[in-house]
């Protein structure tokens, strides 16, 4: 794993996330993240966050472990969260303040 790599991690209720790592420049194109929920969730929300900033909060009526859930992150999601390509590039270098700065986390909030 190089210093430019961003880890994509399972948050609450998420398993089997793909991809597990992102390369430099990941915020400049559409990015597709897929995962399986760890249980059946109804009227839930998928939350994607990076460096403590929420990028996406997407409502889902039902999610089951037998189906892959797909979330698309667009360049404007990074911009709305106040994260520019320059800031993101700075977070991925060797002088990063901590590992948490370099993680994209996907989690589920809702009823099981």
């Amino acid at each position: 794993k190089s210093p430019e790599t961003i880890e994509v991690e399972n948050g609450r209720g998420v398993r089997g996330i793909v991809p597990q790592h992102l390369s430099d420049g990941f915020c400049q194109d559409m990015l597709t993240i897929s995962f399986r929920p760890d249980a059946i969730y109804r009227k839930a929300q998928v939350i994607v966050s990076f460096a403590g900033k929420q990028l996406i909060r997407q409502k889902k009526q039902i999610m089951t472990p037998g189906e892959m859930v797909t979330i698309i992150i667009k360049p404007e999601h990074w911009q709305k969260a106040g994260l520019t390509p320059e800031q993101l590039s700075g977070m991925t270098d060797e002088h990063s303040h901590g590992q948490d700065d370099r993680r994209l986390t996907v989690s589920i909030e809702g009823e099981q």
Side-chain angles (χ1 to χ4, degrees), residues 22-83:
L22 304 175
S23 300
D24 197 22
F26 61 89
C27 64
Q28 296 168 1
D29 296 313
M30 276 196 349
L31 174 64
T32 301
I33 305 283
S34 299
F35 66 90
R36 290 188 189 276
D38 66 357
I40 296 173
Y41 289 88
R42 298 176 192 284
K43 297 181 183 172
Q45 296 180 37
V46 176
I47 298 159
V48 180
S49 57
F50 181 78
K53 296 188 181 213
Q54 183 176 293
L55 299 177
I56 294 176
R57 178 179 286 265
Q58 193 173 93
K59 293 179 181 178
K60 299 282 187 182
Q61 281 300 311
I62 187 163
M63 292 181 281
T64 65
E67 298 175 17
M68 293 293 282
V69 176
T70 301
I71 299 291
I72 296 173
I73 305 171
K74 298 176 183 173
E76 52 265 30
H77 290 121
W78 300 100
Q79 294 162 0
K80 285 181 185 173
L83 296 165

Side-chain angles (χ1 to χ4, degrees), residues 50-51 90-103:
F50 181 78
M91 288 179 179
T92 62
D93 67 19
E94 295 155 353
H95 308 293
S96 175
H97 298 295
Q99 288 295 329
D100 287 344
D101 288 348
R102 297 174 47 193
R103 291 192 180 137

Side-chain angles (χ1 to χ4, degrees), residues 8-24:
V8 182
E9 71 176 11
N10 299 330
R12 180 184 173 275
V14 173
R15 66 176 190 201
I17 202 157
V18 178
Q20 294 180 344
H21 303 283
L22 304 175
S23 300
D24 197 22

